[in-house]
Amino acid sequence: LKPPIVLDVRATCAKSKLYHSGAVADRVEKEIYKSIGMSEKECEDDKTNDTVRVVVRLQHDVVQISVDTSSDPLHQRGYRLQTTKAPIREDLAYGLLLSSGWTPLHHQKQSKMIPQYTKLLDPFCGSGTIAIEAAAMVAGLQPGSLRPSPL
């Protein structure tokens, strides 16, 4: 983590000697700012930067600290601006295509490889998630490549 940043520290405590999650979150936030050379006053004044979520879990006196590097759920690929009622998740559509065995076929014409694809049937016919994921596979887009970088 590099300054300037704004932290959102969340803590949970279960069966530990430290049981006040709010106090744990405050201490962790203070120490992170201290370790990167920012004062608490600087972070309170600077609300223009993106917020970095830090999750602290205390269970049986063992601490786990995680930094949320994606900000959005990873199943969201970054191309859908609006959703319809109950769309299939992008990662599930990708998995359906992979498990169905749908792949592009190639044939050669005048020493050039011209892609020719097997037919794709979208049984859900809703928001087009399966067709969009198939088009992304054809274009060679990696999952999550359209997502903005959170840090």
Side-chain angles (χ1 to χ4, degrees):
L1 299 174
K2 295 180 183 178
I5 60 170
V6 177
L7 292 174
D8 175 20
V9 180
R10 298 177 185 189
T12 58
C13 304
K15 300 177 184 174
S16 295
K17 292 176 185 173
L18 299 174
Y19 56 87
H20 192 285
S21 58
V24 170
D26 288 342
R27 300 308 190 290
V28 169
E29 180 178 16
K30 182 178 177 181
E31 290 303 314
I32 291 173
Y33 281 130
K34 185 177 173 183
S35 69
I36 62 173
M38 283 182 70
S39 69
E40 289 183 67
K41 180 69 175 151
E42 286 178 301
C43 60
E44 289 174 4
D45 293 343
D46 186 15
K47 298 295 183 190
T48 59
N49 291 315
D50 290 332
T51 302
V52 176
R53 183 177 299 132
V54 177
V55 179
V56 181
R57 293 177 188 87
L58 264 132
Q59 189 164 10
H60 298 287
D61 297 324
V62 176
V63 179
Q64 177 184 1
I65 299 177
S66 307
V67 178
D68 183 2
T69 59
S70 61
S71 69
D72 291 328
L74 291 177
H75 72 271
Q76 295 176 346
R77 307 282 196 193
Y79 59 77
R80 191 168 307 284
L81 300 177
Q82 294 180 349
T83 59
T84 60
K85 188 174 183 179
I88 187 171
R89 290 178 15 183
E90 289 91 346
D91 58 340
L92 292 177
Y94 184 80
L96 282 172
L97 286 167
L98 285 179
S99 65
S100 73
W102 182 84
T103 56
L105 300 173
H106 296 287
H107 71 279
Q108 195 162 355
K109 185 176 184 181
Q110 297 175 359
S111 73
K112 290 185 181 179
M113 292 298 286
I114 298 173
Q116 182 180 13
Y117 304 100
T118 57
K119 293 179 182 175
L120 175 69
L121 174 65
D122 183 356
F124 300 105
C125 300
S127 57
T129 307
I130 293 175
I132 293 170
E133 285 297 322
M137 289 171 72
V138 169
L141 290 175
Q142 295 298 317
S145 62
L146 300 176
R147 296 168 52 91
S149 176
L151 297 177

